[in-house]
Amino acid sequence: MEKREKLYEGKAKILYATDHPDLVIQYFKDDATAFNAKKKGTVDEKGIMNNGISAKIFEYLGANGVPTHFEKQLSDREMLVKKVQIVPVEVIIRNRAAGSLCRNYGAVEGKVLSRPIYELCYKNDAYNDPLMNEDHVITLDLATDAELADMKKITFQVNELLKKFFLALNIELIDFKIEFGRYKGKIILADEISPDTCRLWEVGTGVRLDKDRFRNDLGNIKEGYQEVLKRVTHK
Ligand code: TMP
């Protein structure tokens, strides 16, 4: 697969064209941002760890019937993915209270939620990724009713599968954010799934194994990602 021109550069990844019109290369950087890029830094080898973790998770989800953009891992920082049109909506599920649910609504961190909270945010840095509901998504023409229904169904399916996946590694899935894309008329899972986009607490100890180490200056950031990679790849 030949790597061609840069198509897009985001905060944590770069997309490159390939010689295949339907496939692109997703390159993972070490750059880290938090609180809508108000906080910036780098985490040594984060790109390598997130590429490895995302690849394993996409393989697992794909094997369990979730449509994803993942094709294969190409190198330590690159994966080959289907070229999608990203739906500019960040979809979040929360199983326990953490992060903005505590900051914005006063929930007690760690509270087990009586049912998962399904949240939608507008993926738009200029507007600070505001929380939105399904009416906003539809009337602002970000997605159709049918697409939203697919996204919701897949998101709850991903929650069940990922809870099980991580629990087997002695990790609890506290919350996560995913993104979807359109590919040949269908909605499929895109972007990445990694400690940048999930909150992962070790069962029993509550040790944080995710980007909250960076967001909240908890220290040993790289080690947290490394621990997740080690468990996910059984090394
Ligand atoms: P939050 O508590 O900050 O709203 O985050 C909820 C989940 O979504 C958490 O697992 C981190 C993830 N997330 C992203 O992946 N990207 C983002 O821009 C934000 C705000 C959260």
Side-chain angles (χ1 to χ4, degrees):
M1 189 59 57
E2 202 182 307
K3 187 168 171 180
R4 298 218 171 142
E5 78 276 11
K6 187 198 278 194
L7 295 175
Y8 173 82
E9 178 157 5
K11 289 179 285 189
K13 297 185 293 299
I14 305 173
L15 292 180
Y16 295 93
T18 68
D19 50 357
H20 192 301
D22 294 331
L23 300 174
V24 295
I25 292 171
Q26 178 161 259
Y27 175 96
F28 287 73
K29 303 191 282 185
D30 289 345
D31 297 343
T33 59
F35 311 113
N36 215 24
K38 283 201 255 310
K39 177 173 182 152
K40 287 189 178 142
T42 59
V43 177
D44 181 44
E45 297 195 345
K46 178 169 78 72
I48 297 174
M49 300 183 283
N50 280 355
N51 187 36
I53 294 165
S54 278
K56 281 283 172 199
I57 291 177
F58 281 132
E59 273 169 18
Y60 163 76
L61 293 174
N64 284 280
V66 176
T68 86
H69 71 156
F70 182 76
E71 290 283 318
K72 64 175 173 178
Q73 191 171 344
L74 295 175
S75 67
D76 60 353
R77 289 180 182 272
E78 293 170 325
M79 59 170 63
L80 187 66
V81 299
K82 293 185 175 75
K83 184 178 185 178
V84 302
Q85 182 193 32
I86 286 284
V87 176
V89 175
E90 300 193 346
V91 183
I92 293 168
I93 283 237
R94 301 176 187 278
N95 295 305
R96 279 199 201 228
S100 67
L101 190 73
C102 304
R103 228 172 29 247
N104 297 335
Y105 301 90
V108 176
E109 191 186 44
K111 176 187 163 68
V112 176
L113 303 173
S114 59
R115 64 184 209 193
I117 296 179
Y118 177 76
E119 264 179 27
L120 304 171
C121 293
Y122 187 21
K123 180 179 162 70
N124 189 325
D125 284 340
Y127 295 99
N128 277 319
D129 293 353
L131 187 65
M132 64 195 332
N133 66 28
E134 299 200 350
D135 289 335
H136 292 101
V137 175
I138 287 159
T139 58
L140 295 174
D141 297 320
L142 306 180
T144 64
D145 263 314
E147 287 174 335
L148 260 181
D150 286 348
M151 287 161 60
K152 187 168 187 175
K153 185 169 148 252
I154 296 170
T155 301
F156 276 90
Q157 190 186 358
V158 167
N159 188 40
E160 289 314 309
L161 287 167
L162 283 189
K163 277 196 297 185
K164 200 160 70 173
F165 175 85
F166 281 116
L167 213 48
L169 308 174
N170 213 35
I171 293 171
E172 184 175 340
L173 178 65
I174 303 303
D175 57 32
F176 64 90
K177 181 269 305 179
I178 51 180
E179 295 180 24
F180 292 93
R182 295 182 187 96
Y183 182 78
K184 300 189 178 191
K186 277 186 61 186
I187 283 289
I188 65 175
L189 193 56
D191 193 52
E192 68 176 287
I193 301 183
S194 72
D196 271 13
T197 65
C198 302
R199 283 196 176 86
L200 303 168
W201 296 2
E202 186 174 52
V203 172
T205 64
V207 167
R208 278 35 174 184
L209 296 171
D210 57 64
K211 194 175 164 189
D212 270 353
R213 289 193 181 194
F214 170 77
R215 294 189 189 97
N216 304 330
D217 300 313
L218 303 178
N220 295 320
I221 304 169
K222 181 179 180 182
E223 289 74 11
Y225 287 76
Q226 255 169 348
E227 185 59 34
V228 176
L229 178 64
K230 195 174 98 186
R231 294 191 195 191
V232 162
T233 54
H234 306 285
K235 281 190 186 132

